[in-house]
């Protein structure tokens, strides 16, 4: 980048306190070269991480927990067996429902036989129409009884299947809230046994102020309506989000906003969003605190100086300039945004 031919002095407060009549010793000061460069402006937002899906693993039937078929804190695949619950009471219900179905089928078979015998007699006027109507009604009731018994068998088999709890998604499973031998499925004993989280990609939920929302929203619209002559790299850079972890490191994968609330929360004055970040190494876990950095503008070719070179007096900002002959002068400046230890002039 081009450099300005002016030097900024820091730590020069003692220069004004010397007696002009006395021979003052030379004062050593630090100088810094002003620079012209592109300065990105961003907003940092605090949020918490969560899985793309955080699925509670529930005990859908009551019973004693028989086994736990996984290792806590590991990754499981969709369809893996996680828990088993004592199945004997539910197997008995299936047998009972099947016996009721058999009885209903027998009743239906008898009613069908009666109807087949009565119908030709009714055609020959050997029995009354009332007898025929009664036989038709009995057959219909028996057929409905079979359907109800079949539904009872299906329900009993469904409840039996709930004694084998399987993983609904691929993901990381946590610490179990119940151990084998405990009665589960009814309060106060655990109903939710565990939580299974899909953490690749990972999501971050965060909130921004109304002012920050307006800045980001306007910049987003400007970016998407900008002349196509702007490079795709620049446009993509403006939309990338950076995830800063608790130790100050930056996550290597960039993220994008994938969800947002429909309104500003009037109680807090904030707007809630969710961003998604690839997490192929599965380092980031749900529940972590993190900061999301959003680049909303790039100041092109602006003057940047060290922040410590600026002095303030009565609301006015000044710097000391050194010309090519070593003469010092004071220059009033107007400040722009901070960029770390530097500031835009």
């Amino acid at each position: 980048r081009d450099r300005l031919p002016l030097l900024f002095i820091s730590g020069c407060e003692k220069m004004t306190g010397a007696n002009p009549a006395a021979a003052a010793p030379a004062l050593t000061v630090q100088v810094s070269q002003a620079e012209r460069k592109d300065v990105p402006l961003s907003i940092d937002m605090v949020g918490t991480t969560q899985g793309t899906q955080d699925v509670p693993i529930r005990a859908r039937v009551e019973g004693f927990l028989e086994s736990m078929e996984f290792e806590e804190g590991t990754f499981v695949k969709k369809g893996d067996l996680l828990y088993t619950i004592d199945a004997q009471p539910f197997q008995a219900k299936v047998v009972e429902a099947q016996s009721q179905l058999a009885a209903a089928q027998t009743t239906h078979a008898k009613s069908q036989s009666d109807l087949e015998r009565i119908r030709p007699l009714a055609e020959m006027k050997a029995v009354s129409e009332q007898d025929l109507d009664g036989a038709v009604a009995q057959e219909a009731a028996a057929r409905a009884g079979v359907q109800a018994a079949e539904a009872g068998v299906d329900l009993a088999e469904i409840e039996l299947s709930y004694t084998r709890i399987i993983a609904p998604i691929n993901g990381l499973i946590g610490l179990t809230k119940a151990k084998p031998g405990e009665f589960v499925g009814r309060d106060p004993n655990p109903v939710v046994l565990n939580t299974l989280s899909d953490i690749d990609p990972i999501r971050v939920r965060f909130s921004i102020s109304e002012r920050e929302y307006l800045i980001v929203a306007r910049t987003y619209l400007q970016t998407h309506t900008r002349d196509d002559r702007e490079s795709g790299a620049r446009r993509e850079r403006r939309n990338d989000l950076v995830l800063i972890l608790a130790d100050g490191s930056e996550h290597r994968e960039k993220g994008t906003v994938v969800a947002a609330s429909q309104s500003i929360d009037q109680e807090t004055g904030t707007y809630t969003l969710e961003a998604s970040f690839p997490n192929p190494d599965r380092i980031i876990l749900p529940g972590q605190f993190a900061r999301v950095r959003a680049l909303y503008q790039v100041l092109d070719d602006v003057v940047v100086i060290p922040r410590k070179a600026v002095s303030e007096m009565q609301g006015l900002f000044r710097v000391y300039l050194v010309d090519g002959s070593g003469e010092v002068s004071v220059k009033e400046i107007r400040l722009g945004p901070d960029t770390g230890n530097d500031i835009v002039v």
Side-chain angles (χ1 to χ4, degrees):
R1 285 297 180 181
D2 295 335
R3 294 178 179 272
L4 297 183
L6 298 178
L7 297 176
F8 288 81
I9 300 177
S10 63
C12 53
E13 290 79 0
K14 294 181 181 180
M15 295 179 63
T16 59
N19 185 356
L27 178 64
T28 302
V29 295
Q30 293 180 348
V31 295
S32 179
Q33 188 81 36
E35 293 184 87
R36 282 190 176 276
K37 62 182 181 180
D38 294 346
V39 175
L41 301 181
S42 59
I43 297 175
D44 283 7
M45 300 152 287
V46 178
T48 55
T49 59
Q50 57 187 29
T52 301
Q53 296 185 78
D54 293 320
V55 180
I57 305 302
R58 299 180 181 273
R60 302 179 65 175
V61 293
E62 298 177 2
F64 288 96
L65 197 63
E66 281 195 334
S67 66
M68 188 175 72
E69 305 292 336
F70 63 92
E71 185 177 346
E72 296 166 291
T74 62
F75 288 88
V76 298
K77 295 181 179 180
K78 181 178 180 180
D80 285 354
L81 179 63
L82 302 179
Y83 296 95
T84 61
I85 296 174
D86 180 18
Q88 290 184 358
F90 302 97
Q91 291 170 342
K93 287 184 178 181
V94 170
V95 172
E96 180 183 4
Q98 289 172 341
S99 66
Q100 292 175 352
L101 174 59
Q105 289 172 336
T106 300
T107 301
H108 182 229
K110 181 178 183 303
S111 64
Q112 281 183 317
S113 177
D114 291 343
L115 179 59
E116 291 173 358
R117 185 177 63 256
I118 291 176
R119 179 171 283 127
L121 295 176
E123 292 174 355
M124 294 184 298
K125 304 299 181 181
V127 296
S128 66
E129 289 293 331
Q130 184 177 2
D131 292 336
L132 177 61
D133 292 341
V136 170
Q138 287 180 355
E139 191 278 334
R143 186 170 64 251
V146 171
Q147 293 174 345
E150 289 174 342
V153 172
D154 291 341
L155 179 59
E157 290 177 344
I158 290 173
E159 289 184 342
L160 176 61
S161 70
Y162 289 159
T163 62
R164 293 174 57 84
I165 302 175
I166 62 174
I169 61 171
N170 298 331
L172 176 66
I173 195 163
L175 298 174
T176 185
K177 297 180 181 178
K179 297 291 186 180
E182 293 187 52
F183 188 85
V184 298
R186 181 176 61 193
D187 290 334
N189 290 328
V191 176
V192 177
L193 302 176
N194 214 315
T195 301
L196 184 59
S197 297
D198 179 6
I199 62 172
D200 184 22
I202 196 79
R203 285 198 174 195
V204 182
R205 176 171 291 186
F206 57 94
S207 296
I208 59 177
S209 67
E210 187 174 352
R211 174 181 171 278
E212 291 171 335
Y213 161 73
L214 292 173
I215 291 173
V216 174
R218 286 171 180 154
T219 304
Y220 180 84
L221 291 175
Q222 291 172 2
T223 300
H224 282 73
T225 57
R226 191 178 299 274
D227 189 347
D228 289 338
R229 289 176 299 180
E230 182 180 39
S231 70
R234 171 71 60 81
R235 185 180 301 111
E236 187 174 303
R237 182 180 64 178
R238 290 174 187 261
N239 290 336
D240 280 342
L241 299 178
V242 177
L243 183 61
I244 303 173
L245 304 177
D247 61 355
S249 64
E250 290 187 5
H251 184 51
R252 68 179 184 180
E253 303 288 346
K254 299 296 189 297
T256 55
V257 173
V258 294
S261 57
Q262 88 287 0
S263 63
I264 301 291
D265 189 325
Q266 294 184 351
E267 293 184 0
T268 62
T270 58
Y271 186 66
T272 301
L273 303 99
E274 285 188 10
S276 178
F277 293 84
N279 188 27
D281 295 332
R282 299 171 177 174
I283 294 176
I284 306 174
L285 301 176
Q288 292 181 230
F289 286 97
R291 286 184 293 131
V292 176
R293 178 168 294 165
L295 177 68
Y296 66 88
Q297 187 180 0
V298 176
L299 301 179
D300 297 323
D301 195 30
V302 292
V303 179
V304 177
I305 64 173
R307 183 68 180 84
K308 63 181 180 179
V310 180
S311 60
E312 180 182 3
M313 180 177 294
Q314 296 180 348
L316 300 178
F317 298 94
R318 305 182 303 171
V319 292
Y320 293 91
L321 306 182
V322 181
D323 62 18
S325 61
E327 295 294 325
V328 178
S329 61
V330 177
K331 180 71 174 179
E332 186 177 314
I333 59 172
R334 182 164 56 90
L335 300 182
D338 286 327
T339 60
N341 295 325
D342 296 333
I343 193 165
V344 175
V345 177

